[in-house]
C-alpha cells in the first residue's frame, strides 16, 4: 500500500481486516486481525501503466532469446529484430523464458491439487441463500475465510472482492493437472460441474454449498510453484522480478506483494549502486532469501489446509493444533521483509498496534494486497524490460495462455 501510494497510485481497494480458519461445520479454529486489501487486476494495471509514457511500451512482441556479452545484453525478438541493452529484467511470469535461460535447471512443480474457481454477485443469489450466507459468514466483506473440509480432505477460500462480488475457490487434491502443460486454467467438463454442484452442500454446508451450486461457469486453475527456490535472482546484467523469480502458491496471499517488494528493492538498489551488476547483485542478495522462504511457507500452508502433511489425520481441531502444524515447517511465519530499506515503508502504514502482524506473529507492521479478477482470465500480460543508459524502456509483452 505504502509503495503504491508513493507512486501516486490509488486503485479501489476492498479492505479485509480479518482472516479465519474454520471447519465446514462453522467451528472457528483461528481468527486474527489481518490488514489486507483486495483489488482487481485491471484497475491496478491501468494505473501502473499510466506512470509511463505510452511510447515506452510495446505489445504483441515476444523476447525469444537473451545473450549476455561483456557489458551488455543482446536480445532477439519474435519478429526477427534484435538490439543491445545495458540491462534486462525478466518480469515474464511463472513460465519465464528469461529464467529458463539464466537458470535452466529451475522448474515449476505441480502442487498436487487444483482449484475450482467461481464468482457470483450476492444480488444474484436466491434470497434464502443470501440470508443464510450472511448469517453463517457474519464478517463477510471484512474477512477472508479459509474453510477446512474433513471428507474429502480439501479446503475452500471465500471472500468479497468488492461491490458485493463473492470470490470462492475450492482446492481439490488431484493426481495431475487439469489444464494443458502450457496453461494454468481449464474449462471444466459438464460432468465435473454437475458433480461439483451435486456434492457442494454435503461437502461445504448449506451457505457456502449453495453459493457454489448457484455460481455460473466454474472453472479449474492448476496450482504450481517453483520446485526449488532460487538462491539468486540475477546473472551479470539480467535479473528476474515477480513470479519469474519466485513462482508461489496462493495460500499466503503473497504473489502480488512479492512483486511490488521486488520493484521497490530494485529501485532502492539503483539509487546507491555504482554499476548495473552491482545494483542487481545487491537486489538479489536482498530478496532471494526472503522470497524463497515465502515460496516454501506458502507450500507448507497449502499442504496443511489440504491435509497433505506427513502424519496429518483430519483437520486441526483448534488454534493450538493449527499453530503446531504451522510451526512444523520450521519456517519464519511472519511473512514480512526485514531489510532496513523497508523500514520507511512500514512506518508509512497507519494501523493500530493490535492489527499489526500475520500468522500469530507481530514483528512489524504489514499490509498485503491481493489482486482478484471478476471474470475468467484468458491471458495475462507479462513483460521483459530492456533498458539502455539513455533511459529509454523497451517493453515486450508476453502472454501466458
Amino acid at each position: 500500500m505504502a509503495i503504491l501510494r508513493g507512486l501516486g497510485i490509488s486503485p479501489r481497494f476492498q479492505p479485509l481486516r480479518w482472516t479465519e480458519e474454520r471447519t465446514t461445520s462453522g467451528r472457528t479454529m483461528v481468527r486474527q486481525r489481518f490488514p489486507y486489501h483486495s483489488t482487481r487486476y485491471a484497475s491496478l494495471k491501468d494505473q501502473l501503466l499510466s506512470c509511463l509514457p505510452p511510447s515506452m511500451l510495446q505489445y504483441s512482441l515476444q523476447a525469444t532469446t537473451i545473450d549476455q556479452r561483456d557489458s551488455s545484453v543482446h536480445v532477439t525478438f519474435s519478429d526477427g529484430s534484435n538490439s543491445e541493452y545495458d540491462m534486462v529484467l525478466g518480469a515474464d511470469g511463472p513460465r519465464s523464458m528469461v529464467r529458463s535461460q539464466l537458470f535452466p535447471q529451475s522448474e515449476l512443480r505441480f502442487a498436487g491439487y487444483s482449484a475450482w474457481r467461481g464468482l457470483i454477485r450476492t444480488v444474484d443469489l436466491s434470497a434464502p441463500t443470501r440470508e443464510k450466507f450472511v448469517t453463517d459468514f457474519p464478517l463477510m466483506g471484512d474477512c477472508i475465510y479459509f474453510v477446512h473440509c474433513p471428507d474429502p480432505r480439501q479446503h475452500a477460500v471465500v471472500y468479497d472482492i468488492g461491490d458485493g462480488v463473492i470470490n470462492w475457490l475450492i482446492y481439490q487434491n488431484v493426481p495431475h493437472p487439469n489444464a494443458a502443460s502450457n496453461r494454468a486454467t481449464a474449462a471444466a467438463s459438464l460432468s465435473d460441474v454437475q458433480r461439483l454442484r451435486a456434492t457442494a452442500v454435503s461437502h461445504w454446508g448449506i451457505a457456502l454449498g449453495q453459493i457454489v451450486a448457484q455460481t455460473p461457469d466454474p472453472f479449474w486453475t492448476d496450482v504450481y510453484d517453483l520446485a526449488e527456490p532460487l538462491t539468486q535472482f540475477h546473472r551479470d546484467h539480467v535479473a528476474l522480478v515477480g513470479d519469474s523469480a519466485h513462482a508461489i502458491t496462493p495460500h499466503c496471499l503473497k504473489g502480488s506483494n512479492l512483486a511490488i517488494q521486488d520493484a521497490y528493492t530494485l529501485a532502492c538498489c539503483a539509487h546507491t549502486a555504482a554499476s548495473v551488476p552491482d545494483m542487481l547483485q545487491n537486489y538479489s542478495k536482498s530478496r532471494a532469501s526472503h522470497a524463497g522462504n515465502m515460496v516454501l511457507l506458502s507450500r507448507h500452508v497449502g499442504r496443511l489446509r489440504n491435509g497433505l502433511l506427513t502424519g496429518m489425520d483430519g483437520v486441526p481441531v483448534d488454534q493450538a493444533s493449527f499453530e503446531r502444524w504451522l510451526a512444523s515447517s520450521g519456517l519464519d511465519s511472519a511473512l514480512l521483509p526485514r531489510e532496513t530499506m523497508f523500514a520507511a515503508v512500514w512506518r508509512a502504514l497507519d494501523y493500530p498496534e493490535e492489527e499489526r502482524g500475520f500468522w500469530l506473529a507481530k514483528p512489524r507492521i504489514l499490509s498485503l494486497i491481493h489482486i482478484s479478477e471478476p471474470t475468467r482470465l484468458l491471458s495475462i500480460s507479462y513483460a521483459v524490460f530492456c533498458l539502455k543508459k539513455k533511459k529509454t524502456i523497451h517493453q515486450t509483452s508476453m502472454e501466458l495462455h
Side-chain angles (χ1 to χ4, degrees):
M1 287 287 290
I3 295 170
L4 294 179
R5 289 172 184 167
L7 292 172
I9 293 174
S10 56
R12 184 175 180 180
F13 287 109
Q14 171 75 16
L16 300 169
R17 301 296 183 169
W18 298 86
T19 64
E20 180 173 310
E21 307 277 342
R22 58 153 61 181
T23 64
T24 51
S25 66
R27 176 174 52 83
T28 298
M29 290 182 283
V30 181
R31 180 186 292 167
Q32 61 178 341
R33 288 188 177 274
F34 179 33
Y36 171 92
H37 295 78
S38 177
T39 191
R40 298 184 182 182
Y41 174 75
S43 173
L44 182 58
K45 177 186 175 183
D46 289 346
Q47 292 197 44
L48 285 170
L49 292 178
S50 71
C51 296
L52 297 174
S55 60
M56 288 188 174
L57 306 174
Q58 186 170 349
Y59 295 95
S60 301
L61 183 68
Q62 294 185 359
T64 56
T65 62
I66 55 174
D67 179 23
Q68 297 213 57
R69 301 179 178 179
D70 290 340
S71 58
S72 64
V73 186
H74 183 84
V75 181
T76 302
F77 301 99
S78 55
D79 64 352
S81 64
N82 59 78
S83 188
E84 298 282 334
Y85 299 92
D86 296 294
M87 180 173 66
V88 170
L89 300 177
D92 50 338
R95 293 175 172 83
S96 169
M97 177 279 295
V98 179
R99 186 183 68 239
S100 70
Q101 296 201 21
L102 287 185
F103 307 104
Q105 78 285 359
S106 179
E107 297 180 345
L108 290 180
R109 178 197 71 98
F110 176 58
Y113 47 84
S114 296
W116 278 107
R117 299 192 62 177
L119 297 106
I120 188 167
R121 299 186 305 167
T122 53
V123 296
D124 293 332
L125 296 171
S126 66
T129 297
R130 186 164 56 248
E131 181 179 348
K132 179 65 173 173
F133 186 61
V134 170
T135 300
D136 288 4
F137 294 84
L139 294 179
M140 185 56 60
D142 200 27
C143 179
I144 180 166
Y145 287 92
F146 302 93
V147 185
H148 297 239
C149 178
D151 185 23
R153 193 67 175 90
Q154 55 188 333
H155 83 279
V157 183
V158 59
Y159 59 99
D160 187 334
I161 65 173
D163 299 324
V165 177
I166 302 301
N167 184 35
W168 60 263
L169 302 92
I170 294 174
Y171 292 95
Q172 180 176 318
N173 296 330
V174 292
H176 51 74
N178 287 283
S181 60
N182 63 337
R183 294 178 62 99
T185 62
S189 68
L190 177 60
S191 61
D192 280 348
V193 173
Q194 290 174 336
R195 185 163 48 250
L196 171 72
R197 290 171 173 162
T199 59
V201 171
S202 62
H203 288 172
W204 302 105
I206 295 175
L208 180 54
Q210 288 288 357
I211 283 181
V212 171
Q214 293 178 29
T215 297
D217 301 322
F219 62 98
W220 287 108
T221 295
D222 295 325
V223 181
Y224 291 88
D225 63 5
L226 213 54
E228 295 290 336
L230 297 175
T231 57
Q232 66 181 68
F233 291 167
H234 84 294
R235 285 202 173 155
D236 299 324
H237 290 249
V238 181
L240 305 171
V241 296
D243 283 343
S244 63
H246 38 70
I248 187 171
T249 59
H251 309 296
C252 287
L253 317 174
K254 289 288 290 183
S256 304
N257 293 270
L258 288 175
I260 293 171
Q261 292 166 12
D262 288 347
Y264 175 81
T265 302
L266 193 61
C268 291
C269 293
H271 185 66
T272 58
S275 65
V276 168
D278 181 48
M279 174 182 70
L280 297 184
Q281 183 176 11
N282 291 338
Y283 157 72
S284 183
K285 183 178 179 180
S286 296
R287 293 297 297 153
S289 177
H290 171 72
N293 184 79
M294 294 303 98
V295 171
L296 295 178
L297 182 62
S298 185
R299 179 183 303 175
H300 178 76
V301 172
R303 291 178 63 80
L304 188 168
R305 289 180 177 143
N306 257 37
L308 296 174
L309 295 180
T310 301
M312 196 171 196
D313 183 17
V315 302
V317 296
D318 53 23
Q319 179 169 323
S321 62
F322 184 90
E323 288 186 44
R324 283 196 300 271
W325 282 111
L326 180 66
S328 68
S329 68
L331 298 166
D332 179 7
S333 62
L335 304 189
L336 306 177
R338 305 180 187 278
E339 292 84 359
T340 302
M341 67 183 68
F342 280 91
V345 175
W346 307 135
R347 285 197 301 269
L349 299 173
D350 183 21
Y351 290 116
E353 183 66 32
E354 65 271 16
E355 294 188 15
R356 300 177 183 183
F358 186 57
W359 287 122
L360 318 172
K362 298 178 171 58
R364 298 189 191 277
I365 305 172
L366 170 69
S367 180
L368 293 182
I369 297 168
H370 178 64
I371 297 176
S372 301
E373 278 302 317
T375 58
R376 182 192 308 225
L377 198 57
L378 297 180
S379 65
I380 304 173
S381 293
Y382 292 112
V384 175
F385 293 89
C386 307
L387 294 91
K388 296 182 178 180
K389 290 180 180 178
K390 63 181 180 180
K391 297 182 180 179
T392 63
I393 301 178
H394 178 61
Q395 180 185 7
T396 69
S397 75
M398 304 186 69
E399 292 187 342
L400 174 63
H401 295 287

